[in-house]
Amino acid sequence: MDLKALEHPTLKVPYEVLNKKFRSAQKNIDREMSRVHTDLDELEKKLLDKPTTVGDVSRILTSVVDKLNAMKRKAAESIGDELDAARVTKRRTDHLREYDTKDQNLQTLWRKKRLDRILVEYFLRCGYYDTALKLAKHSRIEDLTNLDIFLVAKEVEESLSNHETAQCLAWCYDNKSKLRKLKSNLEFKLRQQEFIELVRKNKRLEAVGHARKYFVNLEDNQMFSVQKAMGLLAFPPETEVSSYKEMLDLSRWQLLVKEFRSENFKLYQLNNYSVFTVTLQAGLSSLKTPQCYHEDTKNADCPVCSQYLNDLASKLPFAHCSQSRLVCHMSGHPLNEHDHPMMLPNGYVYGENSLVKMATENSGKIMCPRTKQMFSLTDLEKVFVM
Amino acid sequence: MDSCSLVEKEIDKVLTKFSFVSDQTDRQLNELINYAEKLITDLAEAPEDEELSVAQSLMLTQYIKKAKDGSSKVAAEHRDLHGAVSKVGKAVDRNFTQDFGVVNKDGTFCGLDRPDLVNQVICQHFFRQGLLDIGETLIREAGVDIDVNSKEPFFEMNRILEALSKGDLQPALKWAQENRFKLRENHSSLEFKLHRLQFISLLHGGPQKQSEILQYARNFEPFAAQHEKDVQQLMGSLLYINTGIESSPYAYLLKPVQWADICDVYTRDACALLGLSVESPLTLSINAGCKALPALLNIKQVMQQRQCTDVWSNKDELPVEVNLGPEYRFHSIFACPILRQQSTDHNPPVRLICGHIISKEALFKLSNGNKVKCPYCPVEQSAADAKEVHF
């Protein structure tokens, strides 16, 4: 049951990779095929163009054989890639199916791997790449995580932070068709930034040339921002004039990084938040009780009572409980018909077993752990919780 | 696990189909290549500038058509595979939940306003497991402000555990002796168990080690009162040291499970001493979350379908009860059986004279003047006689 809710990204991402490989494979095969056809057309023409010599025909035929071989090679390579991508997906479903076992130990190990997978994804999203790599290697979950995609993204993000557009543009080209389907503005924004950089370096003529080349066939809203950018030509790079100063601001590069990151996620159908964040907080909420925030009822074993999580959970909703479930404060064990809840005269309730044990070790005397008051075994009264 | 099987079915189809097409493609193109090569060999028998015969011309024309059709077919067969590929994607979308932002309104669970706290927790989690290297890397990359002293207890625990796993009891013994007083307060028998294990491992030495073993037995003295039976059994095993303990009634002492247990016992006692939980809070929270999310998703879906999204207007509580199981119960929860509400500071549980417990508000509601009758048994009492209880 938990699988259905949490594992969509685990399987969707390798599917998107497979899809991408399919598209590029088809492109390759079509291209090689058209090369073969070109040669065949030439041969056909030659045959109609009498006189045709043996030599002419041999030459073209040899070329045809070459192109056919190239097509064979390219097809084998591309389909090999596709099969690899499909196998990655299969490995992941295999792993997910391992959860369906009666063996408690295996289940615990699987859950541990799941926690590590979730952590790796969280680290990648935060940009803690070294930690992610180390953890993935340690748990041997490299092919169960989407490391590759994030590492490619990391390179692009770094180049953008260095005020370079080349890598990001190459990425856009690589993913052209999908980005077009998503109606992405990224490439346009990159070209705009290049324009601004040319102006910053006072290369205004080049900037105009750049604009002529890239700012064509624009949508309305793009046209609007181009007009604003063109206005920049009239100002020096150190200008203090309001909206032009912002355009020259270097923080625009960070916006490009964010835009790239968001488009990258959309490409692989990833959400903007991490599974870790949602799961952690859902978990804390389902464990949170009012007792976690009262000094005398804190329990060292309860995650919500622990130091940092206590703080984190303070704004989250409490768990909803419609049934009473009692736990003995002394032993931590549940109170039920095997361990009756008993009340001391001061109103504090503990399990009968723990109270009796304390009394036998203390010659019939009982000390309430929370108020330090002393009572005797005969002072106990039964309570009934429905 | 049906969700997985359904997706896996589609992937298997993809693997089969692609393999098939790969073979087909290879075969078809090879056929075309071989034919062309044969034609070239045939043509090579004649001199280069000789004109083509009509027969040869005809063969070539046929070949051209064959090659064009063949190569187009290869491309088309590949294109047809797209159906199988997109079925995989559809299967994933149908069987797995994509967006759980739908879980809560205002994205309560999606944002994290204190990432620094989370990183601290993760660091501690790694230190607990002995993954010191990974913890250090995280500190560096995330800029976690960690108190150097807080690391020390975990490092020591890991050192001792590592030694224990290699069969070296000394570090653990030293620690147990240093903390003897506190351990005794917590009713821990760790030190005795460690001595016991050491004794047993000496037993392996055989009859030659007898005097050494007896000498070691002196260590049991402080524990003799509390562990009388155990000590008697251990000393009893010496009877068989000459004939071999493996064949004696004391063979169970030599079982390796004792060693696995001791690591567990040590971890529990050490954590109790340090006031830490035995299980990492991060592990527990995430496992709880993995159990809770499907329930929350379900309820949200139902709410949306029936268009009653206001049901979760009380943001202080989750809209549905999530049964995590007894291992996740750390606090007593009292829900009044009459009003079906959790107890709060303003509405604590109270005990009636007969012993039944209800909430204070329920008491008021059931009171008639100053008289109240227990809803579960016919005992009557005055409202003032009810006593507040604490769990």
Side-chain angles (χ1 to χ4, degrees), chain B residues 74-186:
Chain B
V74 161
E77 276 176 353
H78 185 268
R79 195 169 300 125
D80 284 341
L81 290 170
H82 188 255
V85 172
S86 56
K87 279 206 183 124
V88 172
K90 290 200 187 110
V92 175
D93 282 337
R94 253 201 314 265
N95 288 295
F96 290 85
T97 318
Q98 175 164 17
D99 187 7
F100 34 74
V102 87
V103 168
N104 46 272
K105 55 181 197 174
D106 308 349
T108 314
F109 293 154
C110 294
L112 205 60
D113 49 317
R114 296 296 304 275
D116 54 320
L117 288 175
V118 174
N119 291 337
Q120 291 269 18
V121 176
I122 300 178
C123 266
Q124 277 207 340
H125 172 80
F126 285 143
F127 288 145
R128 247 175 210 274
Q129 299 183 312
L131 300 175
L132 309 174
D133 184 33
I134 302 183
E136 300 280 350
T137 316
L138 179 62
I139 291 177
R140 180 172 49 86
E141 280 191 311
V144 183
D145 188 14
I146 207 148
D147 176 17
V148 186
N149 295 331
S150 70
K151 286 198 266 176
E152 213 16 71
F154 294 117
F155 287 10
E156 190 182 16
M157 250 208 285
N158 275 302
R159 274 198 296 268
I160 297 181
L161 275 171
E162 223 175 306
L164 277 177
S165 63
K166 291 199 192 112
D168 178 11
L169 294 161
Q170 286 316 312
L173 268 169
K174 184 159 164 288
W175 183 86
Q177 276 161 359
E178 283 169 7
N179 294 286
R180 184 179 290 184
F181 185 61
K182 283 205 211 131
L183 283 170
R184 197 161 280 198
E185 262 190 352
N186 287 343

Side-chain angles (χ1 to χ4, degrees), chain A residues 235-253:
Chain A
F235 292 84
E238 317 79 40
T239 183
E240 293 289 317
V241 177
S242 156
S243 49
Y244 295 107
K245 185 169 170 218
E246 276 88 61
M247 259 196 261
L248 287 162
D249 195 312
L250 290 172
S251 66
R252 279 183 70 112
W253 285 99

Side-chain angles (χ1 to χ4, degrees), chain A residues 8 26 41 54-55 72 94 97 131 273 281 291 294 299 318 320 322 324-325 327 345 347 349 382 384, chain B residues 8 30 48 50 68 78 93 97 99 101 111 141 316-318 321 330 332-333 335 345 351 355 387 390:
Chain A
H8 183 272
Q26 189 66 48
D41 285 339
V54 164
K72 190 174 84 159
D94 280 345
R97 293 183 84 203
T131 319
Y273 45 82
Q281 296 188 93
Q291 286 91 313
H294 281 176
N299 181 339
F318 284 98
H320 176 82
S322 56
S324 296
R325 293 185 218 270
V327 163
V349 174
K382 258 199 176 157
F384 301 99
Chain B
E8 202 172 25
N30 273 336
E48 264 204 27
E50 192 175 294
K68 272 195 180 170
H78 185 268
D93 282 337
T97 318
D99 187 7
E141 280 191 311
D316 284 337
E317 258 188 31
L318 291 176
E321 179 160 14
F330 303 105
S332 290
I333 298 165
D345 290 333
R351 178 184 181 273
K387 195 175 202 168
H390 300 101

Side-chain angles (χ1 to χ4, degrees), chain A residues 56-312:
Chain A
D56 290 334
V57 164
S58 281
R59 240 185 338 269
I60 303 178
L61 263 182
T62 317
S63 173
V64 167
V65 168
D66 279 342
K67 301 283 186 325
L68 281 171
N69 270 315
M71 183 173 177
K72 190 174 84 159
R73 220 178 25 244
K74 210 57 188 183
E77 208 180 277
S78 302
I79 299 183
D81 270 350
E82 290 167 304
L83 282 168
D84 280 342
R87 283 190 201 111
V88 166
T89 322
K90 179 107 204 251
R91 269 203 293 278
R92 294 198 185 181
T93 48
D94 280 345
H95 172 75
L96 291 181
R97 293 183 84 203
E98 283 170 17
Y99 191 41
D100 187 14
T101 168
K102 299 273 188 282
D103 187 336
Q104 284 285 45
N105 281 330
L106 285 176
Q107 273 208 342
T108 312
L109 282 173
W110 194 93
R111 283 199 199 109
K112 189 168 180 312
K113 269 202 174 151
R114 174 173 62 187
L115 174 59
D116 288 339
R117 276 193 290 128
I118 293 177
L119 280 173
V120 168
E121 192 227 3
Y122 170 71
F123 291 147
L124 289 170
R125 280 172 183 265
C126 290
Y128 309 151
Y129 297 105
D130 284 340
T131 319
L133 275 167
K134 279 196 180 153
L135 182 58
K137 219 195 230 156
H138 167 85
S139 291
R140 289 191 274 243
I141 48 172
E142 287 115 320
D143 51 353
L144 296 173
T145 60
N146 299 319
L147 273 174
D148 309 318
I149 295 166
F150 281 93
L151 288 175
V152 165
K154 174 191 179 203
E155 283 195 20
V156 174
E157 287 184 20
E158 275 177 0
S159 84
L160 283 175
S161 296
N162 283 332
H163 305 175
E164 293 159 11
T165 54
Q167 257 186 310
C168 196
L169 284 166
W171 182 89
C172 288
Y173 181 72
D174 218 14
N175 295 290
K176 213 166 32 167
S177 53
K178 199 74 195 253
L179 285 172
R180 202 182 310 136
K181 263 193 224 160
L182 292 169
K183 299 209 172 54
S184 162
N185 262 337
L186 183 59
E187 195 175 336
F188 169 70
K189 290 199 175 138
L190 285 166
R191 295 293 180 202
Q192 241 191 340
Q193 192 63 32
E194 285 180 330
F195 177 85
I196 294 174
E197 292 305 316
L198 286 169
V199 171
R200 194 200 303 279
K201 296 194 185 106
N202 274 318
K203 296 189 179 157
R204 286 158 207 274
L205 279 178
E206 272 183 57
V208 172
H210 180 94
R212 281 217 190 96
K213 189 168 171 199
Y214 294 112
F215 297 157
V216 290
N217 298 329
L218 296 176
E219 315 270 326
D220 283 336
N221 56 345
Q222 288 177 330
M223 196 62 213
F224 181 65
S225 61
V226 165
Q227 281 173 338
K228 262 186 86 181
M230 297 305 277
L232 196 56
L233 284 168
F235 292 84
E238 317 79 40
T239 183
E240 293 289 317
V241 177
S242 156
S243 49
Y244 295 107
K245 185 169 170 218
E246 276 88 61
M247 259 196 261
L248 287 162
D249 195 312
L250 290 172
S251 66
R252 279 183 70 112
W253 285 99
Q254 285 313 309
L255 289 174
L256 282 172
V257 170
K258 281 210 178 90
E259 175 97 16
F260 162 73
R261 198 176 281 177
S262 158
E263 300 292 90
N264 192 23
F265 283 172
K266 276 193 222 157
L267 215 73
Y268 292 101
Q269 307 247 20
L270 287 168
N271 291 313
N272 275 325
Y273 45 82
S274 68
V275 174
F276 175 72
T277 316
V278 179
T279 318
L280 178 65
Q281 296 188 93
L284 287 175
S285 229
S286 61
L287 290 166
K288 185 179 175 192
T289 65
Q291 286 91 313
C292 299
Y293 291 88
H294 281 176
E295 265 321 304
D296 55 344
T297 41
K298 279 201 176 171
N299 181 339
D301 281 328
C302 168
V304 181
C305 296
S306 78
Q307 191 181 3
Y308 302 106
L309 292 177
N310 197 265
D311 224 329
L312 198 67

